Amino acid sequence: MATESSASTIWRGSLEKGSGTTHPDSGAFPDVEVTWAARTARSAGKTSPEELLAAAHASCFCMALSHELSEAGHEPEQLNATATVAFVPGEGVESSHIVVNGRVSGIDQSQFEDAANSAGQNCPISGALTGNIEITVDATLEG
């Protein structure tokens, strides 16, 4: 059975001058304001669909990488991932680049990179994006 997640947005006004409020149905985070300016110029205190996508991709990636490492017998102490989603007005979302640093005992850099690249290809959010945008991963194992 599928698990469903929902969020709602109310938008008022034109694209350039208007704004919206996005509300996660779970209540896990407060309503956030979205604007075209936040999408193209990064105005403070507001978000964009791409920033929300980056948050989803980073968290999904960490879950997939944690699972992959744990299944191999190397439960991670900590994973820190940042996803950066590139948006070009008029063209759309072009890429998601994930940078991950991790503390994991019993593996080397090469093994960590392999696991991170696998997670980058196989997490569910990557699966939804594959074939539509470029997905890249840079992984560093901390000592």
Side-chain angles (χ1 to χ4, degrees):
M1 175 181 261
T3 300
E4 295 181 344
S5 299
S6 298
S8 304
T9 298
I10 297 172
W11 187 269
R12 292 183 176 86
S14 68
L15 176 62
E16 293 83 11
K17 295 178 185 175
S19 67
T21 302
T22 297
H23 169 79
D25 286 355
S26 69
F29 57 89
D31 292 1
V32 291
E33 188 175 355
V34 294
T35 65
W36 178 253
R39 195 172 199 182
T40 59
R42 292 286 159 239
S43 59
K46 297 176 179 71
T47 193
S48 68
E50 292 74 28
E51 185 175 49
L52 296 170
L53 179 59
H57 204 188
S59 60
C60 185
F61 171 83
C62 280
M63 289 179 194
L65 180 54
S66 175
H67 178 70
E68 180 132 352
L69 292 166
S70 295
E71 287 290 304
H74 303 288
E75 184 176 319
E77 180 183 330
Q78 183 169 316
L79 301 171
N80 300 321
T82 300
T84 302
V85 172
F87 170 75
V88 177
E91 295 181 27
V93 174
E94 293 191 335
S95 64
S96 182
H97 178 66
I98 299 170
V99 175
V100 60
N101 297 304
R103 287 197 304 269
V104 185
S105 297
I107 65 171
D108 62 21
Q109 176 64 32
S110 177
Q111 291 169 305
F112 186 67
E113 287 174 5
D114 289 346
N117 285 324
S118 178
Q121 293 174 358
N122 297 312
C123 83
I125 297 297
S126 289
L129 299 173
T130 297
N132 296 307
I133 68 169
E134 178 183 22
I135 299 171
T136 55
V137 176
D138 285 330
T140 302
L141 182 65
E142 296 176 352

